[in-house]
Amino acid sequence: MARLKDKRTIVTGAGSGIGRASARLFAKEGALVLAVDRDGDKVAAVAAEIADAGGRCIAMAADAGSEADVKAYVAKAVSEFGGLDAIYANAGISGGLTPFFEQTVEQWQEILRINLIGPFLAIREVAPLMIRQGSGAIVCTASVAGLRANAGGSPYSASKAGVVSLVQTAANAFYGTGVRVNAVCPGLIETGMTVPIFDHARQRGTEGKLGQLNPLTRPGQPEEIAAMALFLASDEASYVNGQAFPVDGGLTSTLPFAGQRPR
Ligand code: NAD
């Protein structure tokens, strides 16, 4: 059964990691996918890979934090697909780990522009069309970093806390329209963004410790986030609205605790 059969969708940040896995899964489940990334070569390769596997996907290079580019990618999806049923506003940057008291206004502005204003623009630009058709599913990528400290730099955490709030306020802005807005809050996932963490651990031989703070005691894979994005984008989530769901192996379920395996 195709869970997104003939749904017209957009995935941003689709050139790598969670966005790539989601574009692949959406297409596999029958969707038409506009795969957007600021790295045009990477996203073209993803679209080609999906087409090779028999999926329907077109690629577009765009900056998800630029107002003009967001208007352009939404217009492209509508002209190519004749409408839009779901969007996954996933593109984001970590912004590095500059110590708190050394961070600059420019660093904060760039992270907020891409990670928070980008999803806001995506929501605003798809709104007239989705309101007119009386349906639509919007999914954003927040993070466990938006729920607690110490999963990224401070502007990154603030941007992701903003995304959690954004999906709450946007869901209510769509009051009575049938349009749903939700977010996924990934834990530690092995993607382009976390390559330095994984490489560092492998070099030190501490790879086995990655993910030890969650009760599944392992990091996640991009496909495990794509599975939640697929659910939220699909009609299966028809009564799910205004929520941000951790997909983190249980990381945010607990206070700091030295876990023990059961005997
Ligand atoms: P990734 O680096 O593998 O993929 C991100 C993609 O987004 C890249 O292809 C990049 O080119 C693209 N991108 C970055 N800025 C863009 C922009 N302005 N416009 C268009 N495309 C842009 O990283 P990922 O982990 O797959 O990240 C996807 C999302 O997941 C991000 O929002 C990130 O903050 C979030 N996230 C990741 C983790 C993790 O552990 N990897 C955890 C929580 C949240």
Side-chain angles (χ1 to χ4, degrees):
M1 189 188 68
R3 295 166 66 192
L4 285 180
K5 189 173 186 319
D6 297 332
K7 296 282 191 195
R8 300 157 298 181
T9 71
I10 298 171
V11 178
T12 73
S16 172
I18 292 165
R20 173 172 174 264
S22 300
R24 287 163 50 130
L25 184 60
F26 283 21
K28 187 171 164 232
E29 292 293 340
L32 290 84
V33 182
L34 175 63
V36 175
D37 201 287
R38 69 176 170 188
D39 186 325
D41 292 340
K42 275 202 301 189
V43 78
V46 171
E49 185 189 330
I50 289 171
D52 284 350
R56 295 174 291 177
C57 181
I58 50 176
M60 178 170 171
D63 180 343
S66 144
E67 187 167 17
D69 283 17
V70 176
K71 284 179 190 286
Y73 78 60
V74 172
K76 170 104 173 159
V78 172
S79 73
E80 293 281 340
F81 302 153
L84 188 68
D85 300 298
I87 179 164
Y88 184 18
N90 161 75
I93 57 168
S94 77
L97 286 170
T98 307
F100 190 106
F101 301 110
E102 295 165 29
Q103 289 156 13
T104 65
V105 169
E106 290 72 25
Q107 285 173 320
W108 273 77
Q109 283 174 333
E110 182 61 357
I111 294 170
L112 293 176
R113 182 183 78 80
I114 295 174
N115 291 8
L116 178 56
I117 297 176
F120 158 68
L121 290 169
I123 294 168
R124 194 192 68 188
E125 289 308 311
V126 302
L129 181 127
M130 289 187 171
I131 291 171
R132 221 180 305 124
Q133 70 193 10
S135 67
I138 300 169
V139 184
C140 301
T141 303
S143 170
V144 294
L147 306 173
R148 309 266 193 284
N150 284 332
S154 148
Y156 181 77
S157 284
S159 73
K160 295 301 188 177
V163 174
V164 173
S165 177
L166 178 70
V167 300
Q168 294 170 346
T169 55
N172 283 275
F174 281 111
Y175 184 89
T177 66
V179 180
R180 301 181 296 103
V181 193
N182 292 289
V184 190
C185 300
L188 177 63
I189 311 299
E190 186 165 11
T191 67
M193 183 177 283
T194 53
V195 160
I197 298 171
F198 282 80
D199 281 356
H200 185 65
R202 282 176 186 134
Q203 276 160 20
R204 293 178 59 209
T206 55
E207 190 186 345
K209 290 191 172 180
L210 288 167
Q212 68 176 348
L213 295 178
N214 76 63
L216 291 183
T217 64
R218 65 170 178 84
Q221 293 302 316
E223 291 73 19
E224 295 179 291
I225 306 303
M228 177 60 100
L230 168 70
F231 169 69
L232 294 173
S234 78
D235 293 339
E236 292 165 24
S238 53
Y239 202 51
V240 181
N241 194 19
Q243 306 301 322
F245 296 95
V247 181
D248 63 357
L251 180 67
T252 52
S253 68
T254 173
L255 296 165
F257 176 71
Q260 286 181 336
R261 294 183 190 282
R263 280 194 281 176

